Amino acid sequence: MLAQNRIAFKEWGAVCAALGQGRQTVIIRKGGIHEGQQGFRVDHREFWLFPTRFHQGAEQLQPECSDLLQAPIAIEPASGKIMLALYAVVEQVVEIKDAAVLSRLDSLQVLNQETIQQRFEYKNPGLFVLLVRAYQLSQPFEVENETRYAGCRSWVELTQEYSTSNLMPILTDEQFAQQQQALQ
C-alpha cells in the first residue's frame, strides 16, 4: 500500500457506505462523460473513495439496501466539504461483455439488476468490475468540494497527498478471500 495518496475515485455515497460496512466488495463502472471515447480505464490501483450524491436514488439499489442512503457518508455535508474516510486497493479487474453473467454480481454489491443492466447496455455493451479491498480511517478528513472535482468523471486528483498509515481493513483476510471466490 502507498504511504500517501492524492488520487480519489468518485462513487455514489450509498456505494461508498456499502463498501465501508463490508456489504460490498466490488465497484461496477462504465465510465464518466469526461473519460472520452476509450471509456473507463483503471488508471490507479489505490485511491480514496470520494462519495458523490449525484444520480443516486433508492430506486437504483436493491430494496434491502435503501438504508444506505441515510448513512453519514451518503448524505451531502452542509459545509460544502467532502468527508474522506475510505480507501480502496484494486485486487482484480474483470471486464464483463456477456450480460448473462451479471446476476453473479448481486451478492457482491448493492445496485439492483435494472441499474446494472442499464449500465451494461449504455453505448457499447459491457462494464468493468473492480474487486477492491476497502480500508477505513478511524478519523475521516475533510476536503473542500472544489469546482474542479465536478462533472461525470471517475478520477480526481486531490490538492494534497493524505497518509494511509492509520487505515484498518473493513473485512478480515478470510472474509475478503470469500468475496474474492464469489467473483470467480
Side-chain angles (χ1 to χ4, degrees):
M1 182 181 298
L2 298 171
Q4 296 183 357
N5 199 343
R6 73 173 47 220
I7 301 301
F9 186 82
K10 292 174 71 175
E11 183 56 88
W12 284 356
V15 170
C16 291
L19 287 161
Q21 294 174 14
R23 293 167 69 176
Q24 178 161 328
T25 53
V26 297
I27 295 174
I28 298 171
R29 189 53 117 232
K30 183 68 168 205
I33 292 168
H34 295 293
E35 288 167 324
Q37 290 185 339
Q38 291 104 5
F40 176 74
R41 292 179 311 280
V42 182
D43 292 335
H44 308 279
R45 300 298 269 199
E46 296 184 28
F47 44 84
W48 295 102
L49 286 164
F50 188 105
T52 65
R53 287 90 188 161
F54 197 60
H55 295 306
Q56 78 173 356
E59 70 281 359
Q60 294 154 324
L61 301 173
Q62 294 176 25
E64 66 277 9
C65 299
S66 63
D67 64 310
L68 292 167
L69 293 170
Q70 303 309 312
I73 202 164
I75 297 171
E76 186 75 42
S79 64
K81 296 181 185 265
I82 301 294
M83 298 293 289
L84 298 182
L86 298 170
Y87 192 78
V89 176
V90 178
E91 299 290 340
Q92 183 179 356
V93 178
V94 176
E95 186 174 8
I96 296 180
K97 293 286 192 181
D98 180 4
V101 301
L102 294 176
S103 62
R104 291 191 339 199
L105 301 174
D106 287 350
S107 66
L108 300 173
Q109 54 79 44
V110 298
L111 302 177
N112 65 28
Q113 271 296 315
E114 182 180 342
T115 301
I116 299 285
Q117 190 70 39
Q118 286 172 349
R119 287 187 181 188
F120 179 85
E121 292 172 2
Y122 180 71
K123 291 188 179 180
N124 299 321
L127 38 83
F128 290 92
V129 177
L130 286 65
L131 176 69
V132 296
R133 181 88 190 256
Y135 298 83
Q136 188 163 16
L137 286 171
S138 58
Q139 289 295 320
F141 57 89
E142 290 183 343
V143 297
E144 292 291 330
N145 192 5
E146 300 180 22
T147 55
R148 66 190 186 98
Y149 300 147
C152 293
R153 68 185 81 241
S154 297
W155 305 103
V156 295
E157 188 171 332
L158 303 172
T159 56
Q160 71 180 63
E161 292 193 332
Y162 293 92
S163 173
T164 62
S165 64
N166 292 323
L167 293 170
M168 298 297 296
I170 301 295
L171 299 176
T172 65
D173 291 344
E174 183 178 303
Q175 290 169 322
F176 185 75
Q178 290 172 347
Q179 293 297 303
Q180 194 169 25
Q181 275 300 99
L183 185 59
Q184 304 306 321

